[in-house]
Amino acid sequence: MKAICTIITKSHLHYAQVLHKSILRFMPDIHMHMLIVDTIESERPKTLERASAYTNEITTQSELGKKIYDKYYQKNMDHYRWSIKSVFMANLLERGVDQLLYLDSDLFFFDDPTFLFEKLNNKGILLSPHFRCSDPSIDYNEYGRNNTHGLFNGGFVGASKNGIPALNWWAKACHSVCEVNKKAGYYVDQSHLNMLPVLFEDISIIRNHGCNVANWNITGSPRSQKNGEVLLDGRDKLVFIHFTSDTIQGILSGEDPLLKPYLDEYEKALMEEMPSMEPFKIKKPWYQKLV
């Protein structure tokens, strides 16, 4: 069984539903599992279409999940959400899911993601590179972020049952340290992902530049247009965009103009789900923050 999952606060339920709908266009039976970290059992949504919602009860049943909860939940909710990710994924795989994609709720798909599941055939973990600048002579600072922010993006991680040992290692590493300390080499949960291809043999890496398109790969995944279609790195069709606030601001400011039609589609989908939502606006002053 294939599935997707995400971790949110209850304020982002609509974002998760929009993400889910973007994938249902291509995989109409795909089920979404949502961990809502600030919802108690009595408030848990129970009538979601092709989706299931969970509370922290599902992750704190394990000893490691309880330790992560005790360490981060009251101290830093973001660090808790990031650290509990691998515990939630392993739990779902142990409950019967065969292949699973973890997706941040601010992702949106524009093409069929089936091939991403296929990359998990006979593999344990699927990682998504940031595709930052790979040449320090072109952009010294952006190239350096490969080392300070992690080679792989924690907003997309795939796993199969074979990947449970790697997920458990990741959870233990996050329990030990989940912080931003660039001098020491720590960037929340992401920097730990650098170790997975070293420690585990069954790691697959996405080479398609059309995946996880965002502000951080403007240089590493150059955009072009051919026959009305946007291509990444001159060859790859756009599959999904990571609509972080900086990605949105970069598009609105004109720094990433070829992605504007995709932002418009995303905004329309969000406003259909949340009619009271304000349209996206450029923030003043705006400067590009590559994160």
Side-chain angles (χ1 to χ4, degrees):
M1 181 175 61
K2 299 175 175 63
I4 58 176
C5 69
T6 193
I7 300 176
I8 56 172
T9 56
K10 54 190 174 185
S11 63
H12 279 62
L13 176 60
H14 295 311
Y15 287 88
Q17 291 173 318
V18 167
L19 161 65
H20 190 197
K21 288 180 179 179
S22 76
I23 298 180
L24 286 171
R25 296 181 297 180
F26 307 103
M27 302 182 70
D29 296 323
I30 197 73
H31 195 85
M32 172 178 267
H33 301 269
M34 297 182 288
L35 174 59
I36 308 177
V37 294
D38 58 348
T39 292
I40 60 176
E41 182 61 29
S42 62
E43 298 174 344
R44 179 174 60 88
K46 298 179 176 65
T47 57
L48 299 169
E49 184 177 359
R50 289 186 292 270
S52 302
Y54 306 86
T55 67
N56 294 310
E57 291 183 8
I58 192 174
T59 50
T60 54
Q61 292 172 2
S62 73
E63 180 180 357
L64 184 54
K66 182 64 164 58
K67 288 181 178 179
I68 289 172
Y69 179 89
D70 290 341
K71 183 172 183 178
Y72 295 117
Y73 189 81
Q74 297 296 337
K75 182 179 178 181
N76 189 311
M77 181 63 80
D78 286 337
H79 289 186
Y80 173 68
R81 287 190 298 105
W82 296 325
S83 296
I84 207 66
K85 185 186 306 175
S86 48
V87 176
F88 183 47
M89 293 177 70
N91 185 296
L92 293 173
L93 291 166
E94 290 167 349
R95 286 169 174 255
V97 175
D98 298 309
Q99 294 181 332
L100 180 68
L101 301 183
Y102 169 83
L103 309 169
D104 272 358
S105 63
D106 56 356
L107 302 184
F108 193 85
F109 283 73
F110 298 92
D111 205 354
D112 191 346
T114 302
F115 75 99
L116 296 172
F117 287 99
E118 293 171 352
K119 288 183 176 296
L120 281 167
N121 293 340
N122 303 314
K123 295 291 184 178
I125 298 290
L126 177 62
L127 298 175
S128 174
H130 280 112
F131 287 125
R132 298 184 188 275
C133 178
S134 59
D135 187 342
S137 68
I138 294 176
D139 192 321
Y140 175 87
N141 290 325
E142 185 185 350
Y143 176 83
R145 291 185 179 94
N146 287 301
N147 300 313
T148 59
H149 290 66
L151 296 173
F152 305 105
N153 183 249
F156 174 101
V157 179
S160 70
K161 292 182 183 298
N162 293 336
I164 291 176
L167 291 174
N168 290 337
W169 176 89
W170 187 21
K172 291 177 182 177
C174 287
H175 174 252
S176 295
V177 56
C178 182
E179 64 183 29
V180 177
N181 186 342
K182 298 171 189 175
K183 289 184 178 180
Y186 295 114
Y187 194 82
V188 294
D189 64 323
Q190 275 186 177
S191 52
H192 299 308
L193 295 175
N194 292 352
M195 292 295 295
L196 292 186
V198 178
L199 297 175
F200 300 91
E201 294 185 354
D202 56 350
I203 307 298
S204 182
I205 298 173
I206 298 173
R207 308 293 179 180
N208 186 321
H209 284 248
C211 297
N212 230 344
V213 177
N215 65 300
W216 53 73
N217 49 45
I218 290 177
T219 303
S221 297
R223 291 68 152 128
S224 60
Q225 197 166 37
K226 183 177 181 180
N227 299 326
E229 183 176 61
V230 172
L231 298 177
L232 287 304
D233 200 33
R235 65 182 188 275
D236 295 326
K237 292 174 59 178
L238 198 155
V239 181
F240 67 94
I241 295 178
H242 202 145
F243 282 112
T244 66
S245 58
D246 285 338
T247 298
I248 292 171
Q249 290 300 306
I251 297 171
L252 293 176
S253 69
E255 292 181 354
D256 211 352
L258 292 182
L259 298 190
K260 183 60 165 60
Y262 299 93
L263 177 62
D264 292 342
E265 181 178 342
Y266 179 56
E267 180 181 62
K268 180 181 178 183
L270 284 174
M271 296 187 76
E272 288 177 352
E273 192 70 30
M274 299 180 289
S276 62
M277 188 189 94
E278 291 288 329
F280 292 133
K281 295 179 182 178
I282 190 167
K283 298 177 182 177
K284 302 291 186 178
W286 160 249
Y287 61 95
Q288 185 178 6
K289 295 191 299 181
L290 293 173
V291 296

